[in-house]
Amino acid sequence: MPSHAPLRAGAGVPVSKIGARRVATIAFAAQGACVAAVYTTVPAITEHLKLAPLLTTALTVGVALAAGGGSFLGLAAIRRAGPVAAMRGAMLAAVAALVLIGWAPGRTSVTCAYLLFGLAVGALDVGVNTRAAEIERAYGHSVFGSFYTAWSMGGVVAALLTAGAARLEWPVADGLTLQAGSVLLLAVCMRTHDLPAPEGSQAAVAQTPLGHRVWVRLIPFGLVLLVVYVIESSVSAWSAVYLRQTLAASLTVAPLAYAAYQAGTVIGRAGTDRLVQKLGTGTVVRTAALLAAGALAALAAAPGWPFAVLAAGAVGLGASVLAPLCLASAARLRPTASEAVLARLNLFNYVGVVTGGAVGGLLGSTGHFRLAYALPAALAVLLLAAARHFTQPSSPTRTERIPPVERADPRPLG
């Protein structure tokens, strides 16, 4: 890292921080677009290849399992080449997967393409969250919410592209190729920007085993992330199918629930950082959990697709803030080894995705899609008990202003 001080821009913010934040924002937007492109085309792929409902459910679960393995591939790539190179490589793999899914001629080929997508998105997940934790540490205040806002905006754009392609009666292969091209463009725009090194040597600490005690410290965050991704998977993977099969929506209308969900997350995450600084993390988490629970119950009881679209947007508004605040708080448990902590935490993420995807698919295949949203509504209420474990970032120059209950526990992980 250069020894000279970086140039400064704006209100005393180093250019390197601005550049790093911009690149991370691009990567988050690309990940959101990839996930949306895959999930919103599930009905079209299912009808195009005449896939059985149980096979569609198995593919959704397979993507989540592959993503779990991909998160550890991403961890290895980060340690070898750095987070930006790891993110770029994962994005290119996701581009290839999108094209292969769209042009797959049969069940075997589409299965391989979905598994490749899972590996890519899992590696990208660790890369973007590790980089976001480094940037938040450099800024000294909450910025995680802004990255997940970009994630959601990417999802909204991709869902609308899917709906537009269906409206124009494009083949699903053409639509996914267009989506892949947009992600490729984002990957080309990425550059590496140095950030201030954290206290201590990251390379030395990151390679040190975290010890079994890390699991104890991560359990509250892991359970929150598990529930959040049960909700996320239930809405993302199955909302289009829910509108199509249960509420008799057309292929043009079916992706709108996902688009509304992501639009809700954009609004929620855009205000997350400001709300955390004003109200405190615990209050924001409790309010968000209650809103998500009520909106999921409304989605389960929706009389028609317009009501379901509105309810999905409200679910996004409530659930949107939980994952970024959870990941940010967990990363602060061991700042100099955040990539290792986040890779472990991602296991809960993918357990949630598998659970939500599998339960939603099984209930849907038996004609009980409404239960797939009623059950996560009950789980969301349980998140109230975990709110006290969430922490806020502390600026080195203003730590005295942060209440003690909001500081990360300084005890070693083991």
Side-chain angles (χ1 to χ4, degrees):
M1 182 173 293
S3 58
H4 60 276
L7 297 175
R8 308 187 81 80
V13 180
V15 171
S16 61
K17 290 184 186 179
I18 296 174
R21 189 171 182 178
R22 184 183 300 119
V23 167
T25 299
I26 289 173
F28 270 93
Q31 187 187 24
C34 288
V35 172
V38 167
Y39 282 149
T40 56
T41 53
V42 167
I45 292 290
T46 299
E47 294 182 15
H48 174 63
L49 295 179
K50 297 179 173 57
L51 303 179
L54 286 178
L55 178 57
T56 303
T57 301
L59 288 176
T60 303
V61 173
V63 168
L65 292 174
S71 67
F72 287 95
L73 291 178
L75 174 60
I78 290 168
R79 288 176 168 172
R80 184 176 181 85
V84 177
M87 290 188 295
R88 187 184 295 113
M91 286 168 65
L92 294 176
V95 166
L98 289 176
V99 174
L100 292 173
I101 290 170
W103 292 93
R107 297 175 181 178
T108 301
S109 54
V110 82
T111 298
C112 293
Y114 275 120
L115 293 178
L116 173 61
F117 175 78
L119 289 171
V121 81
L124 182 57
D125 199 30
V126 173
V128 294
N129 284 305
T130 296
R131 192 58 169 169
E134 293 172 351
I135 294 168
E136 182 172 90
R137 186 165 60 247
Y139 271 80
H141 61 81
S142 179
V143 297
F144 243 87
S146 67
F147 294 127
Y148 274 84
T149 301
W151 195 102
S152 299
M153 291 180 69
V156 170
V157 172
L160 293 177
L161 282 175
T162 299
R167 179 72 175 176
L168 295 172
E169 298 184 350
W170 285 10
V172 66
D174 291 348
L176 281 173
T177 301
L178 175 64
Q179 308 253 33
S182 66
V183 175
L184 179 61
L185 253 177
L186 293 176
V188 170
C189 293
M190 295 178 64
R191 297 291 183 272
T192 300
H193 297 271
D194 290 332
L195 287 171
E199 294 181 7
S201 171
Q202 175 148 347
V205 180
Q207 298 298 330
T208 303
L210 296 177
H212 69 277
R213 288 180 59 193
V214 69
W215 290 106
V216 177
R217 303 282 298 283
L218 284 178
I219 283 174
F221 302 114
L223 293 178
V224 170
L225 209 60
L226 188 153
V227 173
V228 167
Y229 279 96
V230 166
I231 296 170
E232 163 75 22
S233 182
S234 299
V235 178
S236 298
W238 299 113
S239 62
V241 183
Y242 174 51
L243 263 65
R244 177 72 170 159
Q245 294 184 1
T246 303
L247 303 179
S250 66
L251 282 175
T252 301
V253 168
L256 295 183
Y258 185 93
Y261 172 77
Q262 291 299 344
T265 66
V266 169
I267 296 171
R269 288 168 174 170
T272 297
D273 297 326
R274 185 172 299 176
L275 287 172
V276 165
Q277 294 174 38
K278 184 176 181 180
L279 303 176
T281 310
T283 300
V284 173
V285 169
R286 292 183 188 94
T287 304
L290 288 174
L291 177 57
L296 283 164
L299 182 59
W305 69 261
F307 188 90
V309 169
L310 292 175
V315 174
L317 187 64
S320 59
V321 306
L322 298 173
L325 293 181
C326 184
L327 292 164
S329 295
R332 286 190 286 274
L333 292 175
R334 179 68 68 83
T336 54
S338 58
E339 76 278 12
V341 172
L342 293 173
R344 290 193 177 193
L345 190 62
N346 263 355
L347 295 178
F348 294 94
N349 170 345
Y350 298 118
V351 169
V353 172
V354 168
T355 303
V359 171
L362 291 173
L363 290 173
S365 64
T366 57
H368 296 90
F369 252 131
R370 295 185 186 277
L371 280 178
Y373 298 107
L375 294 177
L379 291 176
V381 177
L382 301 179
L383 299 182
L384 298 173
R388 65 186 180 85
H389 294 281
F390 284 69
T391 64
Q392 287 180 207
S394 55
S395 172
T397 60
R398 294 187 293 175
T399 53
E400 70 278 0
R401 299 185 185 181
I402 299 175
V405 295
E406 295 288 358
R407 296 181 186 172
D409 190 339
R411 292 175 297 171
L413 290 172

PDB file of all heavy atoms in Angstrom, residues 283-312:
ATOM      1  N   THR A 283     -33.427  -0.625  17.981  1.00  0.00           N
ATOM      2  CA  THR A 283     -34.758  -0.115  17.654  1.00  0.00           C
ATOM      3  C   THR A 283     -35.103  -0.374  16.192  1.00  0.00           C
ATOM      4  O   THR A 283     -36.225  -0.770  15.859  1.00  0.00           O
ATOM      5  CB  THR A 283     -34.834   1.399  17.948  1.00  0.00           C
ATOM      6  OG1 THR A 283     -34.568   1.611  19.326  1.00  0.00           O
ATOM      7  CG2 THR A 283     -36.198   1.954  17.598  1.00  0.00           C
ATOM      8  N   VAL A 284     -34.135  -0.155  15.311  1.00  0.00           N
ATOM      9  CA  VAL A 284     -34.366  -0.381  13.879  1.00  0.00           C
ATOM     10  C   VAL A 284     -34.664  -1.856  13.615  1.00  0.00           C
ATOM     11  O   VAL A 284     -35.580  -2.195  12.858  1.00  0.00           O
ATOM     12  CB  VAL A 284     -33.146   0.086  13.062  1.00  0.00           C
ATOM     13  CG1 VAL A 284     -33.310  -0.293  11.595  1.00  0.00           C
ATOM     14  CG2 VAL A 284     -32.973   1.590  13.194  1.00  0.00           C
ATOM     15  N   VAL A 285     -33.913  -2.745  14.255  1.00  0.00           N
ATOM     16  CA  VAL A 285     -34.117  -4.187  14.045  1.00  0.00           C
ATOM     17  C   VAL A 285     -35.498  -4.626  14.529  1.00  0.00           C
ATOM     18  O   VAL A 285     -36.208  -5.366  13.848  1.00  0.00           O
ATOM     19  CB  VAL A 285     -33.002  -4.987  14.754  1.00  0.00           C
ATOM     20  CG1 VAL A 285     -33.337  -6.474  14.778  1.00  0.00           C
ATOM     21  CG2 VAL A 285     -31.671  -4.753  14.055  1.00  0.00           C
ATOM     22  N   ARG A 286     -35.899  -4.169  15.716  1.00  0.00           N
ATOM     23  CA  ARG A 286     -37.210  -4.566  16.254  1.00  0.00           C
ATOM     24  C   ARG A 286     -38.354  -4.074  15.362  1.00  0.00           C
ATOM     25  O   ARG A 286     -39.305  -4.824  15.062  1.00  0.00           O
ATOM     26  CB  ARG A 286     -37.372  -4.016  17.667  1.00  0.00           C
ATOM     27  CG  ARG A 286     -36.432  -4.650  18.687  1.00  0.00           C
ATOM     28  CD  ARG A 286     -36.688  -4.130  20.095  1.00  0.00           C
ATOM     29  NE  ARG A 286     -35.673  -4.592  21.016  1.00  0.00           N
ATOM     30  CZ  ARG A 286     -34.576  -3.902  21.337  1.00  0.00           C
ATOM     31  NH1 ARG A 286     -34.378  -2.699  20.821  1.00  0.00           N
ATOM     32  NH2 ARG A 286     -33.693  -4.400  22.178  1.00  0.00           N
ATOM     33  N   THR A 287     -38.280  -2.832  14.924  1.00  0.00           N
ATOM     34  CA  THR A 287     -39.332  -2.279  14.062  1.00  0.00           C
ATOM     35  C   THR A 287     -39.403  -3.025  12.742  1.00  0.00           C
ATOM     36  O   THR A 287     -40.491  -3.355  12.243  1.00  0.00           O
ATOM     37  CB  THR A 287     -39.069  -0.782  13.811  1.00  0.00           C
ATOM     38  OG1 THR A 287     -38.981  -0.097  15.059  1.00  0.00           O
ATOM     39  CG2 THR A 287     -40.182  -0.173  12.974  1.00  0.00           C
ATOM     40  N   ALA A 288     -38.249  -3.312  12.170  1.00  0.00           N
ATOM     41  CA  ALA A 288     -38.205  -4.017  10.893  1.00  0.00           C
ATOM     42  C   ALA A 288     -38.779  -5.427  11.007  1.00  0.00           C
ATOM     43  O   ALA A 288     -39.498  -5.897  10.114  1.00  0.00           O
ATOM     44  CB  ALA A 288     -36.765  -4.077  10.388  1.00  0.00           C
ATOM     45  N   ALA A 289     -38.471  -6.120  12.096  1.00  0.00           N
ATOM     46  CA  ALA A 289     -38.981  -7.480  12.287  1.00  0.00           C
ATOM     47  C   ALA A 289     -40.504  -7.494  12.378  1.00  0.00           C
ATOM     48  O   ALA A 289     -41.173  -8.357  11.785  1.00  0.00           O
ATOM     49  CB  ALA A 289     -38.365  -8.091  13.540  1.00  0.00           C
ATOM     50  N   LEU A 290     -41.078  -6.551  13.114  1.00  0.00           N
ATOM     51  CA  LEU A 290     -42.540  -6.488  13.233  1.00  0.00           C
ATOM     52  C   LEU A 290     -43.195  -6.172  11.892  1.00  0.00           C
ATOM     53  O   LEU A 290     -44.234  -6.752  11.543  1.00  0.00           O
ATOM     54  CB  LEU A 290     -42.924  -5.440  14.277  1.00  0.00           C
ATOM     55  CG  LEU A 290     -42.634  -5.809  15.733  1.00  0.00           C
ATOM     56  CD1 LEU A 290     -42.920  -4.632  16.653  1.00  0.00           C
ATOM     57  CD2 LEU A 290     -43.461  -7.023  16.155  1.00  0.00           C
ATOM     58  N   LEU A 291     -42.616  -5.248  11.135  1.00  0.00           N
ATOM     59  CA  LEU A 291     -43.170  -4.906   9.826  1.00  0.00           C
ATOM     60  C   LEU A 291     -43.111  -6.097   8.880  1.00  0.00           C
ATOM     61  O   LEU A 291     -44.077  -6.385   8.160  1.00  0.00           O
ATOM     62  CB  LEU A 291     -42.393  -3.729   9.231  1.00  0.00           C
ATOM     63  CG  LEU A 291     -42.802  -3.294   7.817  1.00  0.00           C
ATOM     64  CD1 LEU A 291     -44.277  -2.928   7.759  1.00  0.00           C
ATOM     65  CD2 LEU A 291     -41.934  -2.122   7.351  1.00  0.00           C
ATOM     66  N   ALA A 292     -42.000  -6.817   8.879  1.00  0.00           N
ATOM     67  CA  ALA A 292     -41.868  -7.988   8.007  1.00  0.00           C
ATOM     68  C   ALA A 292     -42.889  -9.059   8.362  1.00  0.00           C
ATOM     69  O   ALA A 292     -43.493  -9.675   7.472  1.00  0.00           O
ATOM     70  CB  ALA A 292     -40.455  -8.558   8.108  1.00  0.00           C
ATOM     71  N   ALA A 293     -43.102  -9.286   9.651  1.00  0.00           N
ATOM     72  CA  ALA A 293     -44.074 -10.299  10.080  1.00  0.00           C
ATOM     73  C   ALA A 293     -45.485  -9.949   9.602  1.00  0.00           C
ATOM     74  O   ALA A 293     -46.202 -10.794   9.065  1.00  0.00           O
ATOM     75  CB  ALA A 293     -44.043 -10.434  11.597  1.00  0.00           C
ATOM     76  N   GLY A 294     -45.898  -8.702   9.792  1.00  0.00           N
ATOM     77  CA  GLY A 294     -47.232  -8.295   9.367  1.00  0.00           C
ATOM     78  C   GLY A 294     -47.397  -8.365   7.860  1.00  0.00           C
ATOM     79  O   GLY A 294     -48.459  -8.803   7.356  1.00  0.00           O
ATOM     80  N   ALA A 295     -46.390  -7.959   7.118  1.00  0.00           N
ATOM     81  CA  ALA A 295     -46.487  -7.973   5.657  1.00  0.00           C
ATOM     82  C   ALA A 295     -46.525  -9.396   5.103  1.00  0.00           C
ATOM     83  O   ALA A 295     -47.236  -9.679   4.130  1.00  0.00           O
ATOM     84  CB  ALA A 295     -45.310  -7.209   5.063  1.00  0.00           C
ATOM     85  N   LEU A 296     -45.768 -10.313   5.717  1.00  0.00           N
ATOM     86  CA  LEU A 296     -45.811 -11.711   5.281  1.00  0.00           C
ATOM     87  C   LEU A 296     -47.196 -12.319   5.508  1.00  0.00           C
ATOM     88  O   LEU A 296     -47.701 -13.085   4.675  1.00  0.00           O
ATOM     89  CB  LEU A 296     -44.752 -12.523   6.018  1.00  0.00           C
ATOM     90  CG  LEU A 296     -43.321 -12.362   5.523  1.00  0.00           C
ATOM     91  CD1 LEU A 296     -42.335 -12.900   6.549  1.00  0.00           C
ATOM     92  CD2 LEU A 296     -43.129 -13.068   4.184  1.00  0.00           C
ATOM     93  N   ALA A 297     -47.806 -11.979   6.633  1.00  0.00           N
ATOM     94  CA  ALA A 297     -49.164 -12.463   6.894  1.00  0.00           C
ATOM     95  C   ALA A 297     -50.134 -11.928   5.842  1.00  0.00           C
ATOM     96  O   ALA A 297     -51.027 -12.660   5.371  1.00  0.00           O
ATOM     97  CB  ALA A 297     -49.604 -12.033   8.297  1.00  0.00           C
ATOM     98  N   ALA A 298     -49.969 -10.665   5.450  1.00  0.00           N
ATOM     99  CA  ALA A 298     -50.821 -10.086   4.410  1.00  0.00           C
ATOM    100  C   ALA A 298     -50.586 -10.765   3.065  1.00  0.00           C
ATOM    101  O   ALA A 298     -51.533 -11.004   2.303  1.00  0.00           O
ATOM    102  CB  ALA A 298     -50.556  -8.587   4.299  1.00  0.00           C
ATOM    103  N   LEU A 299     -49.329 -11.089   2.763  1.00  0.00           N
ATOM    104  CA  LEU A 299     -49.025 -11.781   1.509  1.00  0.00           C
ATOM    105  C   LEU A 299     -49.667 -13.164   1.481  1.00  0.00           C
ATOM    106  O   LEU A 299     -50.194 -13.602   0.451  1.00  0.00           O
ATOM    107  CB  LEU A 299     -47.507 -11.900   1.346  1.00  0.00           C
ATOM    108  CG  LEU A 299     -46.981 -12.546   0.073  1.00  0.00           C
ATOM    109  CD1 LEU A 299     -47.440 -11.791  -1.163  1.00  0.00           C
ATOM    110  CD2 LEU A 299     -45.450 -12.619   0.110  1.00  0.00           C
ATOM    111  N   ALA A 300     -49.647 -13.845   2.621  1.00  0.00           N
ATOM    112  CA  ALA A 300     -50.259 -15.172   2.687  1.00  0.00           C
ATOM    113  C   ALA A 300     -51.757 -15.117   2.467  1.00  0.00           C
ATOM    114  O   ALA A 300     -52.354 -16.050   1.913  1.00  0.00           O
ATOM    115  CB  ALA A 300     -49.949 -15.817   4.040  1.00  0.00           C
ATOM    116  N   ALA A 301     -52.400 -14.022   2.892  1.00  0.00           N
ATOM    117  CA  ALA A 301     -53.860 -13.907   2.794  1.00  0.00           C
ATOM    118  C   ALA A 301     -54.315 -13.121   1.567  1.00  0.00           C
ATOM    119  O   ALA A 301     -55.500 -12.802   1.447  1.00  0.00           O
ATOM    120  CB  ALA A 301     -54.396 -13.237   4.054  1.00  0.00           C
ATOM    121  N   ALA A 302     -53.409 -12.794   0.648  1.00  0.00           N
ATOM    122  CA  ALA A 302     -53.730 -11.933  -0.491  1.00  0.00           C
ATOM    123  C   ALA A 302     -54.894 -12.495  -1.312  1.00  0.00           C
ATOM    124  O   ALA A 302     -54.856 -13.653  -1.729  1.00  0.00           O
ATOM    125  CB  ALA A 302     -52.506 -11.771  -1.379  1.00  0.00           C
ATOM    126  N   PRO A 303     -55.941 -11.673  -1.572  1.00  0.00           N
ATOM    127  CA  PRO A 303     -57.077 -12.144  -2.378  1.00  0.00           C
ATOM    128  C   PRO A 303     -56.800 -12.127  -3.873  1.00  0.00           C
ATOM    129  O   PRO A 303     -57.510 -12.782  -4.648  1.00  0.00           O
ATOM    130  CB  PRO A 303     -58.190 -11.151  -2.015  1.00  0.00           C
ATOM    131  CG  PRO A 303     -57.459  -9.898  -1.657  1.00  0.00           C
ATOM    132  CD  PRO A 303     -56.160 -10.333  -1.017  1.00  0.00           C
ATOM    133  N   GLY A 304     -55.812 -11.365  -4.318  1.00  0.00           N
ATOM    134  CA  GLY A 304     -55.487 -11.276  -5.731  1.00  0.00           C
ATOM    135  C   GLY A 304     -54.080 -10.756  -5.916  1.00  0.00           C
ATOM    136  O   GLY A 304     -53.419 -10.328  -4.954  1.00  0.00           O
ATOM    137  N   TRP A 305     -53.595 -10.776  -7.167  1.00  0.00           N
ATOM    138  CA  TRP A 305     -52.195 -10.416  -7.387  1.00  0.00           C
ATOM    139  C   TRP A 305     -51.874  -8.945  -7.076  1.00  0.00           C
ATOM    140  O   TRP A 305     -50.766  -8.672  -6.616  1.00  0.00           O
ATOM    141  CB  TRP A 305     -51.743 -10.798  -8.795  1.00  0.00           C
ATOM    142  CG  TRP A 305     -52.329 -10.013  -9.933  1.00  0.00           C
ATOM    143  CD1 TRP A 305     -53.359 -10.371 -10.745  1.00  0.00           C
ATOM    144  CD2 TRP A 305     -51.879  -8.726 -10.396  1.00  0.00           C
ATOM    145  NE1 TRP A 305     -53.601  -9.400 -11.677  1.00  0.00           N
ATOM    146  CE2 TRP A 305     -52.698  -8.379 -11.502  1.00  0.00           C
ATOM    147  CE3 TRP A 305     -50.878  -7.842 -10.005  1.00  0.00           C
ATOM    148  CZ2 TRP A 305     -52.553  -7.178 -12.196  1.00  0.00           C
ATOM    149  CZ3 TRP A 305     -50.723  -6.643 -10.694  1.00  0.00           C
ATOM    150  CH2 TRP A 305     -51.544  -6.317 -11.776  1.00  0.00           C
ATOM    151  N   PRO A 306     -52.780  -7.962  -7.297  1.00  0.00           N
ATOM    152  CA  PRO A 306     -52.408  -6.586  -6.941  1.00  0.00           C
ATOM    153  C   PRO A 306     -52.100  -6.434  -5.439  1.00  0.00           C
ATOM    154  O   PRO A 306     -51.135  -5.765  -5.046  1.00  0.00           O
ATOM    155  CB  PRO A 306     -53.634  -5.764  -7.350  1.00  0.00           C
ATOM    156  CG  PRO A 306     -54.308  -6.579  -8.404  1.00  0.00           C
ATOM    157  CD  PRO A 306     -54.104  -7.989  -7.963  1.00  0.00           C
ATOM    158  N   PHE A 307     -52.935  -7.059  -4.589  1.00  0.00           N
ATOM    159  CA  PHE A 307     -52.700  -7.003  -3.145  1.00  0.00           C
ATOM    160  C   PHE A 307     -51.402  -7.710  -2.792  1.00  0.00           C
ATOM    161  O   PHE A 307     -50.640  -7.256  -1.936  1.00  0.00           O
ATOM    162  CB  PHE A 307     -53.885  -7.636  -2.408  1.00  0.00           C
ATOM    163  CG  PHE A 307     -53.849  -7.460  -0.918  1.00  0.00           C
ATOM    164  CD1 PHE A 307     -54.443  -6.365  -0.312  1.00  0.00           C
ATOM    165  CD2 PHE A 307     -53.199  -8.388  -0.099  1.00  0.00           C
ATOM    166  CE1 PHE A 307     -54.413  -6.196   1.066  1.00  0.00           C
ATOM    167  CE2 PHE A 307     -53.157  -8.236   1.270  1.00  0.00           C
ATOM    168  CZ  PHE A 307     -53.770  -7.127   1.859  1.00  0.00           C
ATOM    169  N   ALA A 308     -51.133  -8.837  -3.462  1.00  0.00           N
ATOM    170  CA  ALA A 308     -49.906  -9.595  -3.196  1.00  0.00           C
ATOM    171  C   ALA A 308     -48.669  -8.787  -3.564  1.00  0.00           C
ATOM    172  O   ALA A 308     -47.649  -8.833  -2.857  1.00  0.00           O
ATOM    173  CB  ALA A 308     -49.925 -10.912  -3.960  1.00  0.00           C
ATOM    174  N   VAL A 309     -48.744  -8.036  -4.659  1.00  0.00           N
ATOM    175  CA  VAL A 309     -47.613  -7.204  -5.071  1.00  0.00           C
ATOM    176  C   VAL A 309     -47.327  -6.138  -4.014  1.00  0.00           C
ATOM    177  O   VAL A 309     -46.170  -5.900  -3.629  1.00  0.00           O
ATOM    178  CB  VAL A 309     -47.888  -6.568  -6.441  1.00  0.00           C
ATOM    179  CG1 VAL A 309     -46.847  -5.494  -6.759  1.00  0.00           C
ATOM    180  CG2 VAL A 309     -47.872  -7.630  -7.531  1.00  0.00           C
ATOM    181  N   LEU A 310     -48.382  -5.490  -3.496  1.00  0.00           N
ATOM    182  CA  LEU A 310     -48.208  -4.482  -2.446  1.00  0.00           C
ATOM    183  C   LEU A 310     -47.640  -5.101  -1.169  1.00  0.00           C
ATOM    184  O   LEU A 310     -46.753  -4.528  -0.521  1.00  0.00           O
ATOM    185  CB  LEU A 310     -49.542  -3.800  -2.149  1.00  0.00           C
ATOM    186  CG  LEU A 310     -50.110  -2.907  -3.258  1.00  0.00           C
ATOM    187  CD1 LEU A 310     -51.502  -2.405  -2.876  1.00  0.00           C
ATOM    188  CD2 LEU A 310     -49.179  -1.743  -3.545  1.00  0.00           C
ATOM    189  N   ALA A 311     -48.153  -6.291  -0.802  1.00  0.00           N
ATOM    190  CA  ALA A 311     -47.658  -6.958   0.403  1.00  0.00           C
ATOM    191  C   ALA A 311     -46.197  -7.355   0.253  1.00  0.00           C
ATOM    192  O   ALA A 311     -45.407  -7.233   1.199  1.00  0.00           O
ATOM    193  CB  ALA A 311     -48.516  -8.182   0.706  1.00  0.00           C
ATOM    194  N   ALA A 312     -45.813  -7.813  -0.934  1.00  0.00           N
ATOM    195  CA  ALA A 312     -44.414  -8.183  -1.168  1.00  0.00           C
ATOM    196  C   ALA A 312     -43.508  -6.969  -1.013  1.00  0.00           C
ATOM    197  O   ALA A 312     -42.399  -7.068  -0.462  1.00  0.00           O
ATOM    198  CB  ALA A 312     -44.252  -8.787  -2.559  1.00  0.00           C
TER     199      ALA A 312
END
